[in-house]
Amino acid sequence: MQTPIPISPNPPPRRRRWWLAVLGFVASLVLGPVGWWIWSQVAMQNAWDAAVAEAEQDIPRWRLMELEADRPT
């Protein structure tokens, strides 16, 4: 008696793989600039916070309204 040959599932059709490649490419075109923009915003906010902390160490009342309040009339 012969043993049956196991049948493996068919791989997805090539058309499906092509669409996945196109979808990945389009996603990288969209998500790349969006990710870069988010990263630049976070980096800019961190630099701004560091600059504010440094200014507060040097001059305690450095903001415009505080300077105006301290100015002699």
Side-chain angles (χ1 to χ4, degrees):
M1 182 170 182
Q2 291 181 332
T3 58
I5 300 173
I7 300 173
S8 62
N10 293 335
R14 285 197 129 340
R15 172 176 272 171
R16 182 182 229 169
R17 289 182 185 166
W18 184 78
W19 280 106
L20 288 175
V22 169
L23 181 65
F25 180 71
V26 170
S28 67
L29 286 178
V30 172
L31 295 178
V34 170
W36 177 81
W37 182 79
I38 290 172
W39 174 81
S40 67
Q41 294 296 313
V42 169
M44 185 172 30
Q45 186 62 44
N46 290 341
W48 182 266
D49 292 341
V52 167
E54 182 181 349
E56 287 175 349
Q57 283 180 346
D58 291 343
I59 305 170
R61 294 176 55 87
W62 65 273
R63 298 181 193 271
L64 179 62
M65 297 307 289
E66 295 167 344
L67 291 173
E68 289 293 326
D70 293 343
R71 192 172 79 172
T73 55

